[in-house]
Amino acid sequence: MALNVQMYKVHNHMTNEDLVMARLVNQQTLDFNALCEYLADGSTVTAADVAAVMKQIEMRLPLVLCLNAKVVCSPEGLTFRPKVSGAITQSELKAKLEAKKLADPSLDIDVDRALELSDLSTGDLTATIAIDLPKKWEERFKSKVEFKRVAKGVATVEAETSPDPSQGGETTGGTTTEGGGPSDEGL
């Protein structure tokens, strides 16, 4: 398998330095039905069985997370957990209080008061789901991936992969590093 990357240069005006960065290009999508068929391949369950279980997870996992519970979904530790975000700064509080005062001038509001814990209300919070991936997954991914450098304007690059990524088949080519390599031809 290969990750198609494109290098680009940007100028950081704050540090006044150029920076070369990489981005993924030509990402493919494995749709839900194809994933179910892939997971069922070589198993006693069918793709329909896999789809049914995944749909149950999709429907019920958010309900369990709403109970303020972490859910461990794999033997290696794939974990879904509730996450909350939200904040208010002194300047945001001042703008909020000034807006209230403008809306109703009869209110006696001190717009320059100090920020307090109670100024962040639950209405200002956003709930999301965080996913913690097992470290072993990242190690497996790193050991299997290679990079293919693509030039601007190149639509696709064919990558040779093993027929079954879960079996850890060998890929051809090597990892391209900053110094160049077999994937840098023609650049």
Side-chain angles (χ1 to χ4, degrees), residues 61 64-65 69-81 132 134:
L61 188 62
V64 175
L65 293 171
K70 285 193 230 178
V71 180
V72 180
C73 291
S74 80
E76 292 181 349
L78 171 65
T79 304
F80 292 84
R81 60 182 170 80
D132 299 324

Side-chain angles (χ1 to χ4, degrees), residues 23-76:
R23 68 178 181 95
L24 288 175
V25 293
N26 300 333
Q27 280 185 291
Q28 304 297 314
T29 301
L30 181 65
D31 70 14
F32 179 72
N33 291 331
L35 175 63
C36 291
E37 289 174 14
Y38 178 71
L39 293 175
D41 187 38
S43 175
T44 58
V45 298
T46 66
D49 295 330
V50 173
V53 169
M54 292 182 81
K55 287 178 183 174
Q56 286 290 351
I57 291 171
E58 182 181 272
M59 287 175 33
R60 296 187 180 191
L61 188 62
L63 299 174
V64 175
L65 293 171
C66 285
L67 298 173
N68 201 25
K70 285 193 230 178
V71 180
V72 180
C73 291
S74 80
E76 292 181 349

Side-chain angles (χ1 to χ4, degrees), residues 29 38 49 53-54 58 76 87 110-112 116 135 147 153 160 166:
T29 301
Y38 178 71
D49 295 330
V53 169
M54 292 182 81
E58 182 181 272
E76 292 181 349
D110 179 11
V111 295
D112 293 319
E116 297 176 8
K135 288 183 181 176
F147 297 106
E160 298 178 28
S166 68

Side-chain angles (χ1 to χ4, degrees), residues 55-124:
K55 287 178 183 174
Q56 286 290 351
I57 291 171
E58 182 181 272
M59 287 175 33
R60 296 187 180 191
L61 188 62
L63 299 174
V64 175
L65 293 171
C66 285
L67 298 173
N68 201 25
K70 285 193 230 178
V71 180
V72 180
C73 291
S74 80
E76 292 181 349
L78 171 65
T79 304
F80 292 84
R81 60 182 170 80
K83 183 179 175 183
V84 65
S85 60
I88 188 168
T89 64
Q90 184 70 46
S91 59
E92 291 169 335
L93 173 65
K94 184 174 183 170
K96 193 180 200 181
L97 294 175
E98 286 174 346
K100 280 186 182 181
K101 192 171 188 173
L102 282 175
D104 187 359
S106 65
L107 294 176
D108 183 28
I109 298 175
D110 179 11
V111 295
D112 293 319
R113 71 174 176 79
L115 183 68
E116 297 176 8
L117 294 176
S118 60
D119 290 323
L120 180 62
S121 69
T122 57
D124 297 327

